[in-house]
Amino acid sequence: MTRQTFYFLIGLVFALHNSEEAIAAPRMLSMMQARGPALLRAFYAGIEVSELRVSLFVLTVLGLFLALLAARNESSTSGAYTMLVFAAVIGLNALMHIVLAVTFRTYMPGLITAIALTLPLSLLVLARGFRERWVPTRAYWSVIPAAVVVHGPLLAGFIIGTTRIARVFVGS
């Protein structure tokens, strides 16, 4: 498989995962608001299902755009680095779904695609990127820390921003 194929797969799997989350958004929000750890309860407090779905839609469009942009020039080191971080982010997200499902002892929206698609693809892309030296070794070792920042504070800020904007358009 070419890098371009992996880039397309990352975008596709990301879209499928976010679709699973959007479909089950009512369950996810109710679980996070009622049973999540204090930090997550506080974060999700006041977010409505329609707002979360808008946020997931915008995030998905941005992810697909990133994957398409990287695929247009698959030999680009910056594109490869971006897609390695993207792969690490979806892998980290999959691990979070698994941890939350075990913690809640129930299905966590996004769990099916996390286990079946995002985690395996993430590990495959990260291993392939390392083996084939898609980026210099020094840059490769910064992928996981970058993914933690993207999946943590950057994603949180994105969700806060898009849900606030969504309130204007969906009338929450």
Side-chain angles (χ1 to χ4, degrees):
M1 258 197 272
T2 66
R3 282 190 209 181
Q4 187 178 50
T5 303
F6 280 116
Y7 297 170
F8 284 130
L9 282 174
I10 290 169
L12 176 64
V13 164
F14 182 66
L16 290 170
H17 176 75
N18 285 356
S19 296
E20 180 187 357
E21 286 187 348
I23 290 166
R27 178 184 174 98
M28 183 166 66
L29 272 179
S30 103
M31 287 173 60
M32 297 309 265
Q33 291 170 344
R35 297 174 53 199
L39 178 66
L40 292 178
R41 279 195 319 269
F43 180 80
Y44 284 100
I47 295 177
E48 300 292 329
V49 171
S50 58
E51 297 164 355
L52 182 60
R53 285 181 172 150
V54 167
S55 185
L56 285 166
F57 175 76
V58 173
L59 185 62
T60 302
V61 169
L62 288 174
L64 288 170
F65 178 74
L66 250 170
L68 290 172
L69 195 60
R72 287 192 69 203
N73 186 7
E74 69 179 312
S75 61
S76 162
T77 302
S78 60
Y81 182 79
T82 300
M83 294 312 291
L84 287 169
V85 171
F86 198 166
V89 166
I90 66 172
L92 180 59
N93 183 264
L95 292 174
M96 293 305 297
H97 279 279
I98 294 166
V99 166
L100 288 170
V102 169
T103 301
F104 293 151
R105 293 189 173 110
T106 189
Y107 164 74
M108 179 68 195
L111 183 65
I112 295 167
T113 52
I115 292 171
L117 300 172
T118 58
L119 187 57
L121 180 62
S122 172
L123 295 173
L124 180 63
V125 168
L126 291 170
R128 182 91 174 250
F130 180 76
R131 188 177 68 245
E132 294 179 2
R133 302 286 188 250
W134 290 1
V135 296
T137 304
R138 188 177 203 158
Y140 183 85
W141 292 115
S142 71
V143 165
I144 300 299
V148 169
V149 170
V150 171
H151 189 265
L154 197 60
L155 181 60
F158 179 86
I159 292 170
I160 290 167
T162 54
T163 55
R164 285 183 181 161
I165 292 167
R167 284 185 187 127
V168 172
F169 295 102
V170 297
S172 294

